[in-house]
Amino acid sequence: MRPNVKVLETSYISPQIKKIRFQGDISKWSFRIGYANVVRVSETEFRNYTVADHDKEKGIFEIIFHIHGNGIGSKYIDALQTNDELFISPPRGKKMYDKNVKQQFFFGDETSLGVALALLPLLKKNNHQFQFYFELDEKNKSVPELLGLENYNTFPKNNSRNEKWISNLPLFQTDEWNTANFALVGNVKSVQTFRKVLKDKKQGNIYSQGYWLEGKKGL
Ligand SMILES: Cc1cc2nc3c(=O)[nH]c(=O)nc-3n(C[C@H](O)[C@H](O)[C@H](O)COP(=O)(O)OP(=O)(O)OC[C@H]3O[C@@H](n4cnc5c(N)ncnc54)[C@H](O)[C@@H]3O)c2cc1C
């Protein structure tokens, strides 16, 4: 658990979204869409974050952090500066991408921008039809564009806690997306509501993982 990576560069995409580029020996790390790394945020605590981009040869990787201000991880990351050293584990977890399915739908929030960025080049390379949906705070609305994401819709938080609103989304009004892959990540309640609508409609393959929940520490 000793520090194994160093902060090369930090930047704020918005006051709440911080991008950090790290350097370290990642030659043996295995990167899969949906995998996450644990970051040591105190003597005893660890939090999950996703690598958004990496270059194995140069030993460089980037993570997009939501600086929400409510937890120890968020505060620790906010304070990180160039040359700081810390411990980040290799990626591991749940895969959420199947390259054999033509249509790919992705739902997430600020915590999911990193996995969306990691997924985008694969969606383009493998000629998928794809659509990103992000629920974002007003102040982060322009972040997907600033990060270079494509084919996305943004909408205010709480819409995705409303089953009726989800059912009325344009993509559910055609048969075209019936057999799509649905990757649902981010807030637990939003993910659960989305999942319920999809299950009720018996639509597609669902990969879902809650990334955070109000009142719960470190999922
Ligand atoms: C597989 C996986 C991958 C993840 N990838 C990323 C990633 O790439 N980038 C990223 O920013 N996050 C990511 N997360 C989410 C991140 O791990 C959580 O947001 C985590 O709770 C942050 O830790 P914390 O110490 O700041 O807050 P905690 O101490 O865990 O929580 C304290 C309180 O803060 C509040 N809270 C937690 N997260 C948020 C939030 N996002 N917005 C508003 N309030 C919140 C909750 O009410 C909670 O009770 C990922 C989670 C998982 C499981």
Side-chain angles (χ1 to χ4, degrees):
M1 301 296 165
R2 298 241 301 271
N4 61 338
V5 302
K6 187 164 102 178
V7 175
L8 272 189
E9 203 182 315
T10 73
S11 58
Y12 283 85
I13 313 294
S14 79
Q16 280 194 346
I17 303 293
K18 185 173 185 178
K19 178 165 90 173
I20 304 187
R21 180 172 294 168
F22 299 94
Q23 184 150 46
D25 180 5
I26 59 169
S27 55
K28 296 199 175 69
W29 288 14
S30 143
F31 296 90
R32 298 276 181 278
I33 301 300
Y35 277 14
N37 308 56
V38 288
V39 176
R40 185 180 189 174
V41 296
S42 78
E43 284 284 302
T44 53
E45 283 168 286
F46 299 84
R47 294 289 184 267
N48 277 295
Y49 296 99
T50 313
V51 169
D53 195 12
H54 70 277
D55 182 331
K56 267 195 176 179
E57 275 173 26
K58 293 189 179 141
I60 288 173
F61 64 99
E62 288 181 349
I63 299 182
I64 310 289
F65 296 96
H66 184 206
I67 310 296
H68 53 82
N70 301 322
I72 188 172
S74 169
K75 286 173 191 157
Y76 174 81
I77 302 293
D78 197 15
L80 278 181
Q81 293 176 357
T82 306
N83 290 327
D84 283 349
E85 294 186 348
L86 65 153
F87 173 79
I88 303 188
S89 78
R92 83 283 177 261
K94 237 172 129 175
K95 288 184 210 163
M96 63 166 71
Y97 166 66
D98 177 355
K99 74 172 191 316
N100 299 315
V101 179
K102 172 90 180 150
Q103 280 117 347
Q104 304 270 338
F105 175 92
F106 180 97
F107 166 78
D109 64 7
E110 284 88 349
T111 62
S112 329
L113 293 163
V115 61
L117 273 178
L119 180 59
L120 179 67
L122 287 178
L123 295 177
K124 288 169 75 169
K125 189 177 110 198
N126 295 331
N127 291 318
H128 291 288
Q129 185 181 348
F130 64 95
Q131 190 72 54
F132 291 101
Y133 273 69
F134 294 111
E135 60 168 355
L136 298 173
D137 281 332
E138 180 64 28
K139 51 178 98 65
N140 300 321
K141 251 175 75 177
S142 57
V143 172
E145 185 179 1
L146 294 170
L147 289 173
L149 283 160
E150 296 171 28
N151 292 4
Y152 62 84
N153 286 296
T154 64
F155 49 86
K157 293 194 171 167
N158 294 328
N159 286 18
S160 43
R161 311 271 170 96
N162 177 335
E163 287 181 33
K164 191 154 184 280
W165 183 85
I166 298 173
S167 304
N168 288 335
L169 285 172
L171 85 157
F172 295 134
Q173 312 315 317
T174 70
D175 293 338
E176 220 187 338
W177 287 79
N178 279 358
T179 54
N181 252 6
F182 290 87
L184 314 175
V185 289
N187 177 270
V188 168
K189 286 183 187 157
S190 301
V191 166
Q192 282 172 346
T193 314
F194 233 104
R195 191 182 164 83
K196 181 168 185 306
V197 172
L198 291 172
K199 287 263 177 205
D200 288 349
K201 288 182 182 290
K202 296 190 173 44
Q203 205 145 6
N205 301 314
I206 308 172
Y207 294 78
S208 65
Q209 187 171 13
Y211 279 6
W212 70 278
L213 173 64
E214 290 88 348
K216 180 97 172 61
K217 282 189 186 175
L219 288 191

